[in-house]
Amino acid sequence: MTISVLMATYAKENPNYLDESIKSIWTDQERKPDQIVLVEDGLLTQELYEIINKWQSIIGDKFTLLANNTNKGLALALNDGIELCKGELIARMDSDDIAMPNRFNIQESYMKQHPDVEILGGSLEEFNDEGTLHKVRTYPQNYTAIKNSIHKASPLGHPTVMFRHSLFKRGYRYSNQFFICEDVVLWFEALAGGIKINNISDIVLKFRRNDSMMNRRGKKKAWSEFLAYTYGIHMLDGIFTIKYIYPCARLLFRLMPSSIIKFIYNSKLRNVITHA
């Protein structure tokens, strides 16, 4: 099978992070991808262009660039990138995360053995720049568990996901309707359409999480997240369901001081709530 990697970057990205990320999916990868698609979401800094030029010279014609002159946001940038992906499988990758060396080997092997699965995620290890965080995050391990838990939290780690290209050929795309949560809305819509989704237990990615990630969530994003989850719950379960309690509780949680959010996020309570 052939694999395309789908990434997007923007002006505020740390060039060192982008450098490490591309290195992990090319130089350090046991099974190199057949194509890397990088969407430049708006004009970038000179430092980012230098990193991109470096990897373009190393990777050559397997490195596909799409330069958007304006910042469209992640959802629309990824949709643009999908149009350029040639692989039978499309692996998502964020420009500040690090893929495990065996990621594509493991996920490609699973997809070959399970032709009914169209969206496949995996476990991830959270880390920070200080080296003080090494936390493994796992996700529901079968289709039923994913469908029964999506109202609580995203059942997949977005940057760990590998898609079958055929999913997008049938018209599925990321939604820009809710400002964020483009991934969760896609999971809801896929489940509503009967698409088979699963996760593997293997750690396929190191997910960068610094304090700035917590501080970036404002009221606008909290409200958009609330709307995205209520939209998805309505799609799967209709109006009369107790599941709406979860996005309401999530909204209240997001509006708490960042110190409290950070404490709960790092505690065992988070896993108890989302995996119960």
Side-chain angles (χ1 to χ4, degrees), residues 95-133:
S95 57
D96 58 349
D97 295 333
I98 299 173
M100 302 303 287
N102 60 353
R103 175 185 174 180
F104 299 147
N105 261 336
I106 293 173
Q107 290 188 299
E108 180 185 30
S109 176
Y110 183 96
M111 295 297 249
K112 285 180 178 178
Q113 295 173 27
H114 301 84
D116 58 326
V117 174
E118 297 193 59
I119 302 176
L120 177 69
S123 299
L124 57 81
E125 179 186 345
E126 296 179 340
F127 76 105
N128 58 15
D129 292 340
E130 293 75 30
T132 57
L133 178 65

Side-chain angles (χ1 to χ4, degrees), residues 12 24-25 35 64 68 72 95 97 104 106 118 126 129 141 147 152 159 168 177 212 240 263 272 275:
K12 294 184 180 180
S24 75
I25 58 176
Q35 180 192 28
T64 303
N68 288 335
K72 297 182 176 183
S95 57
D97 295 333
F104 299 147
I106 293 173
E118 297 193 59
E126 296 179 340
D129 292 340
Q141 297 292 302
K147 193 169 185 179
K152 300 177 183 179
F168 298 114
Q177 183 178 356
S212 59
F240 303 105
F263 172 78
V272 171
H275 292 165

Side-chain angles (χ1 to χ4, degrees), residues 116-119 143 147 167 170 172 186-197 235-236:
D116 58 326
V117 174
E118 297 193 59
I119 302 176
Y143 174 80
K147 193 169 185 179
L167 177 78
R170 296 203 305 279
Y172 284 91
L186 181 56
W187 314 151
F188 271 117
E189 292 177 345
L191 289 170
I195 301 298
K196 189 70 177 292
I197 305 175
M235 190 189 313
L236 288 181

Side-chain angles (χ1 to χ4, degrees), residues 134-168:
H134 302 282
K135 181 181 179 182
V136 174
R137 197 194 307 176
T138 59
Y139 294 88
Q141 297 292 302
N142 60 70
Y143 174 80
T144 301
I146 288 170
K147 193 169 185 179
N148 289 342
S149 66
I150 190 172
H151 61 285
K152 300 177 183 179
S154 177
L156 298 131
H158 187 198
T160 73
V161 167
M162 179 174 279
F163 302 92
R164 291 193 190 276
H165 200 158
S166 56
L167 177 78
F168 298 114

